[in-house]
Amino acid sequence: MSLSATTAPPPAAPPPPDVASRRRRRYFLNRLDIKYSPYLYIAPFFLIFGAFGLYPMLRTAWMSLHDWDMVGEHTFIGFDNYTELISDDYFWNALINTFGIFALSTIPQLLMALFLANLLNQTLLRAKTFFRLAIFVPNVVSVAAVAIVFGMLFQRDFGLFNWLLNLVGVDQIDWRAQEWSSWTAIATMVNWRWTGYNTLILLAGMQAIPKDLYEAAAIDGASPWRQFWQITLPMLKPTFIFVVILSTIGGMQLFTEPLLFANGSIIGGNQREYQTLAMYMYEKGIYNLSTAGYGAAVAWAIFMIIVFVSLINFVLVRRAAK
Amino acid sequence: MTSASRRLWRTSPLTYMALVLAALLSIYPFYYMIVIGTRSLESINDVPPPMTPGGAFGDNFGRVLDNDAANFLKGLMNSIIVSSVVTVSVVLTGSLAGFAFAKLRFRGRNVLLLAIIVTMMIPTQMGLIPLWSMMQSLDWYDTLYAVTVPFLVSAFGVFMMRQYASQAISDELIEAGRVDGASTFRIYWNIVLPALRPAAGVLGLLTFMETWNSFLWPYAILSPENPTLQVSLSFLSYAYYTDYSQVFAATAVGTIPLVLVFLLFGRQIIGGIMEGAVKS
């Protein structure tokens, strides 16, 4: 990098300078280095993030106020896209689907993660590392592979889940045909992939709780169950809020699983049974280039929903843990 | 530990049963992928479904390679290139900026650090549509620049390195470097970067996994002729959705490198994730 040049002598150095001026130059370069080089070190982040992260996001807001055709005209229309959103049935459908899948994934997933983390938190547990690694494996497998594999497990005719259901006397389910069944299938993929990750984060939070709190409670005769409710949960609050917000951001942006479950159809099932908000944004903004402005409005709507749901979750979790 | 507290912390067999069940459920779909990927196409419709690997992997994978629609090898190469470049860049830019934020004094340091933390909460999807049209005007559509350049830096990377650098590197060490007349960059290169190696390793592994597995953006900006591995897999599964042996052989090959990395460095990865969660 060019930075090291700040202290190297310039190539065309004047002929034998006297010691004093050399020292002065050196001192000057040193001052420059100490004062300004930190900005060079943080510059790459701000330049690239600014160009490819922040700028597009702000531009999304600007586009959303236009009737914006990606290859043609842009006309400023104020908030018309947003008012149109409110009466757009497909938008509401995507919103309901997203929340349905979100509820079916986040709630069981976090309860499960809490349960597993509590088990893994036991001091005398053997093979801790093995269990931690094993439950984290799903997160390593790519979303695309997960969606393809679960897509097969949820096949109507020879899928493993229907085979298992048949064993217990339940008829075959056409998982892709209805809302509840497709939501369940997609939520299962999400749960499988993220439960282990959340378990580890919660476990980290649990391990930060001082052990003597439990000792003291045990001496006072508190059962493990009571210790969990009265020590673990309240002390875990910040970590739990963190996990809930992460899940919210992820859940509102769900895209790959439903898209691949629909074999690449952007509308998610014949009747849009499982089209999510992110898929709808893609459909309007990229799949159809002429409605990019409307797609941008969907993007900002998703962002506002994320902020709104995170706030609600934040308040709920805080209150529940009081 | 006293015997009373030993009894208190004792682990019951039920705990182990629950954990073993969770471990099995976690690993099973992955195992199933290998079972189907190594079975002939006919045997996967069997009732009951096959439960053990077969010997047809070579045959299945041969069909993947012959499948012109998926460009599997091209996707594999592209993924290796993109993931490696992004990983090296995120580690270098992250450690440089992290070092600056942790150990150097400059005006605006706290505000800029706060700005980075805030950006960690912005979903990148929000800029997707304009980013797509930016790539068109840069003439980067369907090129590896489009899937590499925007990801060369990471707010999480800067933040993680900053956290690690502020506790792992003493101010005396840097002072000593200065006294010896080293420039700030020399101090970074010769003193700081080696000291950051453990955190850099974890950040590198996490970045590599994330980049290898990313789907939405490559799917939006790359054509089927020039895919990354994940995009190639998705095209394989749309076009040949009945040939699960072929698709699963391909997903297994695309996943095995990550699983190997995970088996080798899993402890560090998990340690990194858990550390990242509690420090703030």
Side-chain angles (χ1 to χ4, degrees), chain B residues 121-168:
Chain B
M121 300 181 183
I122 300 177
T124 45
Q125 268 191 27
M126 301 300 68
L128 197 72
I129 297 168
L131 197 58
W132 195 88
S133 70
M134 267 172 84
M135 293 301 160
Q136 305 287 329
S137 31
L138 287 170
D139 230 355
W140 283 1
Y141 178 77
D142 201 21
T143 66
L144 293 190
Y145 295 113
V147 288
T148 309
V149 176
F151 305 98
L152 289 177
V153 298
S154 128
F156 171 75
V158 173
F159 182 67
M160 179 179 166
M161 289 313 220
R162 188 247 166 207
Q163 296 301 89
Y164 192 80
S166 37
Q167 50 161 268

Side-chain angles (χ1 to χ4, degrees), chain B:
Chain B
M1 217 178 264
T2 65
S3 71
S5 65
R6 191 170 279 279
R7 206 174 319 122
L8 168 69
W9 302 121
R10 200 177 46 196
T11 308
S12 83
L14 275 178
T15 299
Y16 286 109
M17 277 168 64
L19 285 174
V20 167
L21 185 68
L24 284 178
L25 285 175
S26 297
I27 295 168
Y28 182 73
F30 179 71
Y31 173 75
Y32 183 70
M33 184 162 90
I34 292 171
V35 169
I36 302 296
T38 55
R39 286 264 173 177
S40 71
L41 189 52
E42 297 75 47
S43 73
I44 64 174
N45 291 351
D46 289 353
V47 178
M51 293 289 170
T52 50
F57 173 76
D59 196 35
N60 295 334
F61 194 61
R63 286 207 302 290
V64 173
L65 296 182
D66 289 342
N67 186 336
D68 295 329
N71 288 303
F72 185 83
L73 282 187
K74 177 112 192 181
L76 189 65
M77 268 320 287
N78 281 345
S79 278
I80 291 172
I81 295 169
V82 172
S83 304
S84 311
V85 172
V86 168
T87 301
V88 170
S89 170
V90 163
V91 169
L92 285 181
T93 58
S95 57
L96 253 180
F99 159 59
F101 279 119
K103 292 293 160 188
L104 304 178
R105 321 260 140 225
F106 53 96
R107 280 167 76 94
R109 183 169 85 146
N110 293 332
V111 178
L112 291 170
L113 182 64
L114 188 70
I116 289 186
I117 294 172
V118 169
T119 64
M120 282 165 65
M121 300 181 183
I122 300 177
T124 45
Q125 268 191 27
M126 301 300 68
L128 197 72
I129 297 168
L131 197 58
W132 195 88
S133 70
M134 267 172 84
M135 293 301 160
Q136 305 287 329
S137 31
L138 287 170
D139 230 355
W140 283 1
Y141 178 77
D142 201 21
T143 66
L144 293 190
Y145 295 113
V147 288
T148 309
V149 176
F151 305 98
L152 289 177
V153 298
S154 128
F156 171 75
V158 173
F159 182 67
M160 179 179 166
M161 289 313 220
R162 188 247 166 207
Q163 296 301 89
Y164 192 80
S166 37
Q167 50 161 268
I169 296 165
S170 69
D171 291 333
E172 288 79 23
L173 203 59
I174 292 177
E175 280 312 310
R178 291 226 190 273
V179 169
D180 288 347
S183 68
T184 316
F185 187 75
R186 246 195 111 81
I187 292 176
Y188 162 74
W189 192 255
N190 289 344
I191 301 176
V192 175
L193 197 56
L196 289 180
R197 207 180 287 147
V202 173
L203 177 62
L205 290 166
L206 292 176
T207 307
F208 192 89
M209 293 199 306
E210 202 185 315
T211 315
W212 186 272
N213 284 338
S214 67
F215 179 78
L216 172 54
W217 178 242
Y219 178 77
I221 204 73
L222 296 178
S223 76
E225 287 76 43
N226 186 33
T228 58
L229 187 70
Q230 306 306 327
V231 177
S232 156
L233 289 180
S234 75
F235 286 121
L236 198 63
S237 79
Y238 303 159
Y240 288 82
Y241 64 98
T242 43
D243 189 351
Y244 273 108
S245 297
Q246 182 188 148
V247 177
F248 280 33
T251 48
V253 171
T255 303
I256 282 168
L258 284 191
V259 171
L260 285 181
V261 166
F262 184 67
L263 288 178
L264 287 174
F265 302 105
R267 276 167 196 259
Q268 286 90 321
I269 293 174
I270 282 175
I273 288 170
M274 289 181 59
E275 290 223 343
V278 274
K279 274 187 229 134
S280 53

